[in-house]
Structure formats: C-alpha cells, structure tokens
Amino acid sequence: RFQNTGTDTAFTVRIEDRLSVLLDETSIEAGASSHAYRMEVQEDGLLIFHFENIMLPDSNVNEVASHGFVQFRANQKPDNQLGMIIENTAEIYFDFNEEIITNTVFHTLGTNFIISETNEVFVPNLDLIVAPNPFHSKATFSLKGVDVNEGTIELYDIFGRLVKQDSFSGNQYELNRENLPAGTYLFRFLDADKLLVNGKIIVK
C-alpha cells in the first residue's frame, strides 16, 4: 500500500522490493493493483513496479484517491526449512523525491496455519460484513455506512487473475459461487473509480 501525503499530485510512483533469498524469483506473478503498472524483475532479485502517469492526488486535496496498492505472488524455494523467517521491506519513490521505506513484515515458515478474514477499508466509517466466510454456494457482502451508486466487485484468484466482475448498487451484494473452484480469492469493491474496500474470501 502507498499514499501520497505530499503537497502536490504525484505523476509517477516507483516501488522497489528486493526479495528474500528464501523466495524463488523465477516464480513471481503480477497481481491486482489500484492503478495500471509495469513490473520489472532484475537478476539480483530486485522487483520494481512502475506506475507511470498515475496522477495520484495528495491527501490534502483528495484523501480517498491519494491511496494505491499493488500485489504480487512468489513461491518459496523448495529447500526452505520450518522456522525460517521471510522478511520483506520496500522502498517507494514519488516522482523525484527521496525514497520512503516501508515497515518490515515477516512470515515464519510452518504448517497447519489458519487463513484469517481481513478486510482493508479505504473509506472512513465504512464497515464490511461478509457472511458466511468461508462459503459453499453463496455469500452476502453488506457495506455499512455507505450507499453505492455505481458499484463494481472484482474477484481475483491467488495468482492475481480476474475471475469475476459484477455491477451492483445500494449497500449489499450477493456473490453466487456458480463455477468457482474451491480456494481463496481476493475481492475489491469500487464505487465508480473509487476503491472502497478489499479483502479475502474462501470458497469451500
């Protein structure tokens, strides 16, 4: 995630992420994002996301639209041992300004982890309730604190591929499983071009 907290529109954003030696750089797959981007993978394991002509407003002018995000996927190396820790830190460049260094996140390799439901909200006072999650035939999304006029839901698989896109209005949407295989999916809710919330849902 990133946000333009400066005093003017950002024309370009560049994210540099040097992958852990515990990850297989040949397995990297591009994922969902808030804006169009170009991904570059260098031989030394440096992953670069280029957001060109992003025109990201600063938070003083438009707090909601000042946010952005990008996702990617990479496999572990096959000889990793349980207990090893994969750390990740990125550097974010807005136009020609000095880099902003993100917090360091980590993942401890283990077994029998439980995937938790986490939603990331981009609009103040919005609360999302998903029930049931995991689901088998259908799930209902209830957006509290907001009325959506030109709503869109986008559903991505774990490889970042768009598998479903649908329109809705109001503050409730019903997702029918239809032909979705069992697995974990990432969802995004938008109102026109404004990102409202994203999160994770599991199909049993």
Side-chain angles (χ1 to χ4, degrees), residues 60-80:
N60 298 305
V61 173
N62 191 331
E63 201 282 334
V64 174
S66 67
H67 295 266
F69 76 93
V70 66
Q71 298 172 333
F72 69 95
R73 182 179 185 274
N75 293 330
Q76 300 178 32
K77 290 184 177 177
D79 56 350
N80 288 344

mmCIF file of all heavy atoms in Angstrom, residues 60-80:
data_model
loop_
_atom_site.group_PDB
_atom_site.id
_atom_site.type_symbol
_atom_site.label_atom_id
_atom_site.label_comp_id
_atom_site.label_asym_id
_atom_site.label_seq_id
_atom_site.Cartn_x
_atom_site.Cartn_y
_atom_site.Cartn_z
ATOM 1 N N ASN A 60 -4.209 16.023 0.957
ATOM 2 C CA ASN A 60 -4.877 17.261 1.359
ATOM 3 C C ASN A 60 -5.982 17.639 0.378
ATOM 4 O O ASN A 60 -6.979 18.248 0.758
ATOM 5 C CB ASN A 60 -3.853 18.399 1.436
ATOM 6 C CG ASN A 60 -2.782 18.138 2.479
ATOM 7 O OD1 ASN A 60 -3.083 17.903 3.640
ATOM 8 N ND2 ASN A 60 -1.529 18.167 2.061
ATOM 9 N N VAL A 61 -5.817 17.260 -0.874
ATOM 10 C CA VAL A 61 -6.803 17.577 -1.906
ATOM 11 C C VAL A 61 -7.890 16.511 -1.976
ATOM 12 O O VAL A 61 -9.079 16.808 -2.056
ATOM 13 C CB VAL A 61 -6.108 17.726 -3.280
ATOM 14 C CG1 VAL A 61 -7.135 17.878 -4.395
ATOM 15 C CG2 VAL A 61 -5.154 18.908 -3.257
ATOM 16 N N ASN A 62 -7.476 15.222 -1.964
ATOM 17 C CA ASN A 62 -8.426 14.115 -2.075
ATOM 18 C C ASN A 62 -7.871 12.927 -1.291
ATOM 19 O O ASN A 62 -7.094 12.142 -1.825
ATOM 20 C CB ASN A 62 -8.654 13.751 -3.546
ATOM 21 C CG ASN A 62 -9.817 12.789 -3.731
ATOM 22 O OD1 ASN A 62 -10.130 11.980 -2.851
ATOM 23 N ND2 ASN A 62 -10.458 12.857 -4.895
ATOM 24 N N GLU A 63 -8.253 12.815 -0.040
ATOM 25 C CA GLU A 63 -7.700 11.779 0.833
ATOM 26 C C GLU A 63 -8.001 10.384 0.324
ATOM 27 O O GLU A 63 -7.137 9.500 0.311
ATOM 28 C CB GLU A 63 -8.250 11.945 2.251
ATOM 29 C CG GLU A 63 -7.402 11.283 3.338
ATOM 30 C CD GLU A 63 -7.603 9.769 3.407
ATOM 31 O OE1 GLU A 63 -8.690 9.294 3.013
ATOM 32 O OE2 GLU A 63 -6.676 9.071 3.851
ATOM 33 N N VAL A 64 -9.222 10.175 -0.157
ATOM 34 C CA VAL A 64 -9.625 8.847 -0.604
ATOM 35 C C VAL A 64 -8.816 8.407 -1.816
ATOM 36 O O VAL A 64 -8.301 7.288 -1.885
ATOM 37 C CB VAL A 64 -11.133 8.818 -0.922
ATOM 38 C CG1 VAL A 64 -11.521 7.485 -1.534
ATOM 39 C CG2 VAL A 64 -11.946 9.067 0.350
ATOM 40 N N ALA A 65 -8.673 9.298 -2.799
ATOM 41 C CA ALA A 65 -7.987 8.952 -4.042
ATOM 42 C C ALA A 65 -6.467 8.992 -3.923
ATOM 43 O O ALA A 65 -5.768 8.636 -4.863
ATOM 44 C CB ALA A 65 -8.434 9.881 -5.163
ATOM 45 N N SER A 66 -5.947 9.409 -2.766
ATOM 46 C CA SER A 66 -4.493 9.504 -2.594
ATOM 47 C C SER A 66 -3.842 8.156 -2.304
ATOM 48 O O SER A 66 -2.617 8.069 -2.219
ATOM 49 C CB SER A 66 -4.163 10.485 -1.466
ATOM 50 O OG SER A 66 -4.589 9.982 -0.206
ATOM 51 N N HIS A 67 -4.641 7.109 -2.158
ATOM 52 C CA HIS A 67 -4.133 5.771 -1.824
ATOM 53 C C HIS A 67 -3.917 4.934 -3.080
ATOM 54 O O HIS A 67 -4.558 5.141 -4.106
ATOM 55 C CB HIS A 67 -5.120 5.036 -0.919
ATOM 56 C CG HIS A 67 -5.308 5.660 0.424
ATOM 57 N ND1 HIS A 67 -4.589 5.280 1.533
ATOM 58 C CD2 HIS A 67 -6.136 6.656 0.830
ATOM 59 C CE1 HIS A 67 -4.970 6.002 2.579
ATOM 60 N NE2 HIS A 67 -5.911 6.848 2.179
ATOM 61 N N GLY A 68 -3.034 3.954 -2.966
ATOM 62 C CA GLY A 68 -2.829 2.965 -4.014
ATOM 63 C C GLY A 68 -2.266 1.681 -3.430
ATOM 64 O O GLY A 68 -1.836 1.649 -2.277
ATOM 65 N N PHE A 69 -2.282 0.623 -4.220
ATOM 66 C CA PHE A 69 -1.716 -0.639 -3.757
ATOM 67 C C PHE A 69 -1.332 -1.487 -4.956
ATOM 68 O O PHE A 69 -1.773 -1.263 -6.078
ATOM 69 C CB PHE A 69 -2.712 -1.410 -2.872
ATOM 70 C CG PHE A 69 -3.824 -2.086 -3.643
ATOM 71 C CD1 PHE A 69 -3.700 -3.409 -4.060
ATOM 72 C CD2 PHE A 69 -4.978 -1.396 -3.965
ATOM 73 C CE1 PHE A 69 -4.708 -4.029 -4.784
ATOM 74 C CE2 PHE A 69 -5.997 -2.006 -4.684
ATOM 75 C CZ PHE A 69 -5.857 -3.325 -5.093
ATOM 76 N N VAL A 70 -0.495 -2.475 -4.709
ATOM 77 C CA VAL A 70 -0.149 -3.469 -5.719
ATOM 78 C C VAL A 70 0.113 -4.791 -5.008
ATOM 79 O O VAL A 70 0.563 -4.810 -3.858
ATOM 80 C CB VAL A 70 1.084 -3.034 -6.552
ATOM 81 C CG1 VAL A 70 2.336 -2.971 -5.692
ATOM 82 C CG2 VAL A 70 1.290 -3.959 -7.746
ATOM 83 N N GLN A 71 -0.203 -5.889 -5.678
ATOM 84 C CA GLN A 71 0.001 -7.216 -5.106
ATOM 85 C C GLN A 71 0.788 -8.080 -6.075
ATOM 86 O O GLN A 71 0.721 -7.882 -7.290
ATOM 87 C CB GLN A 71 -1.358 -7.886 -4.816
ATOM 88 C CG GLN A 71 -2.202 -7.148 -3.804
ATOM 89 C CD GLN A 71 -3.598 -7.732 -3.683
ATOM 90 O OE1 GLN A 71 -4.115 -8.322 -4.614
ATOM 91 N NE2 GLN A 71 -4.221 -7.559 -2.528
ATOM 92 N N PHE A 72 1.538 -9.015 -5.529
ATOM 93 C CA PHE A 72 2.228 -9.994 -6.365
ATOM 94 C C PHE A 72 2.352 -11.294 -5.582
ATOM 95 O O PHE A 72 2.094 -11.332 -4.373
ATOM 96 C CB PHE A 72 3.616 -9.487 -6.803
ATOM 97 C CG PHE A 72 4.628 -9.392 -5.688
ATOM 98 C CD1 PHE A 72 5.514 -10.430 -5.443
ATOM 99 C CD2 PHE A 72 4.705 -8.258 -4.898
ATOM 100 C CE1 PHE A 72 6.449 -10.355 -4.421
ATOM 101 C CE2 PHE A 72 5.634 -8.169 -3.871
ATOM 102 C CZ PHE A 72 6.505 -9.220 -3.633
ATOM 103 N N ARG A 73 2.755 -12.340 -6.284
ATOM 104 C CA ARG A 73 2.875 -13.654 -5.660
ATOM 105 C C ARG A 73 4.223 -14.256 -6.023
ATOM 106 O O ARG A 73 4.696 -14.110 -7.141
ATOM 107 C CB ARG A 73 1.749 -14.584 -6.140
ATOM 108 C CG ARG A 73 1.753 -15.968 -5.518
ATOM 109 C CD ARG A 73 0.585 -16.790 -6.059
ATOM 110 N NE ARG A 73 0.488 -18.077 -5.403
ATOM 111 C CZ ARG A 73 1.162 -19.166 -5.788
ATOM 112 N NH1 ARG A 73 1.953 -19.101 -6.848
ATOM 113 N NH2 ARG A 73 1.022 -20.306 -5.149
ATOM 114 N N ALA A 74 4.846 -14.934 -5.058
ATOM 115 C CA ALA A 74 6.106 -15.634 -5.310
ATOM 116 C C ALA A 74 6.148 -16.895 -4.468
ATOM 117 O O ALA A 74 5.690 -16.908 -3.321
ATOM 118 C CB ALA A 74 7.308 -14.742 -4.976
ATOM 119 N N ASN A 75 6.673 -17.968 -5.033
ATOM 120 C CA ASN A 75 6.798 -19.227 -4.307
ATOM 121 C C ASN A 75 8.042 -19.235 -3.432
ATOM 122 O O ASN A 75 9.029 -18.547 -3.708
ATOM 123 C CB ASN A 75 6.889 -20.397 -5.293
ATOM 124 C CG ASN A 75 5.601 -20.602 -6.070
ATOM 125 O OD1 ASN A 75 4.510 -20.305 -5.579
ATOM 126 N ND2 ASN A 75 5.716 -21.098 -7.276
ATOM 127 N N GLN A 76 7.983 -20.039 -2.392
ATOM 128 C CA GLN A 76 9.181 -20.286 -1.592
ATOM 129 C C GLN A 76 10.132 -21.211 -2.368
ATOM 130 O O GLN A 76 9.723 -21.932 -3.271
ATOM 131 C CB GLN A 76 8.808 -20.975 -0.284
ATOM 132 C CG GLN A 76 7.866 -20.217 0.617
ATOM 133 C CD GLN A 76 7.532 -21.025 1.840
ATOM 134 O OE1 GLN A 76 8.343 -21.809 2.334
ATOM 135 N NE2 GLN A 76 6.323 -20.854 2.356
ATOM 136 N N LYS A 77 11.373 -21.184 -1.964
ATOM 137 C CA LYS A 77 12.302 -22.160 -2.509
ATOM 138 C C LYS A 77 12.030 -23.519 -1.874
ATOM 139 O O LYS A 77 11.668 -23.604 -0.691
ATOM 140 C CB LYS A 77 13.741 -21.709 -2.253
ATOM 141 C CG LYS A 77 14.137 -20.495 -3.091
ATOM 142 C CD LYS A 77 15.590 -20.120 -2.905
ATOM 143 C CE LYS A 77 15.958 -18.959 -3.815
ATOM 144 N NZ LYS A 77 17.366 -18.510 -3.616
ATOM 145 N N PRO A 78 12.187 -24.595 -2.630
ATOM 146 C CA PRO A 78 11.749 -25.913 -2.148
ATOM 147 C C PRO A 78 12.537 -26.453 -0.954
ATOM 148 O O PRO A 78 12.040 -27.322 -0.244
ATOM 149 C CB PRO A 78 11.936 -26.806 -3.382
ATOM 150 C CG PRO A 78 12.951 -26.101 -4.222
ATOM 151 C CD PRO A 78 12.706 -24.637 -4.005
ATOM 152 N N ASP A 79 13.758 -25.954 -0.734
ATOM 153 C CA ASP A 79 14.563 -26.492 0.358
ATOM 154 C C ASP A 79 14.476 -25.659 1.636
ATOM 155 O O ASP A 79 15.262 -25.850 2.567
ATOM 156 C CB ASP A 79 16.034 -26.619 -0.077
ATOM 157 C CG ASP A 79 16.606 -25.290 -0.569
ATOM 158 O OD1 ASP A 79 15.830 -24.334 -0.740
ATOM 159 O OD2 ASP A 79 17.836 -25.220 -0.765
ATOM 160 N N ASN A 80 13.531 -24.727 1.707
ATOM 161 C CA ASN A 80 13.365 -23.952 2.933
ATOM 162 C C ASN A 80 12.978 -24.855 4.098
ATOM 163 O O ASN A 80 12.224 -25.807 3.934
ATOM 164 C CB ASN A 80 12.282 -22.877 2.754
ATOM 165 C CG ASN A 80 12.735 -21.743 1.853
ATOM 166 O OD1 ASN A 80 13.929 -21.586 1.585
ATOM 167 N ND2 ASN A 80 11.791 -20.945 1.388
#
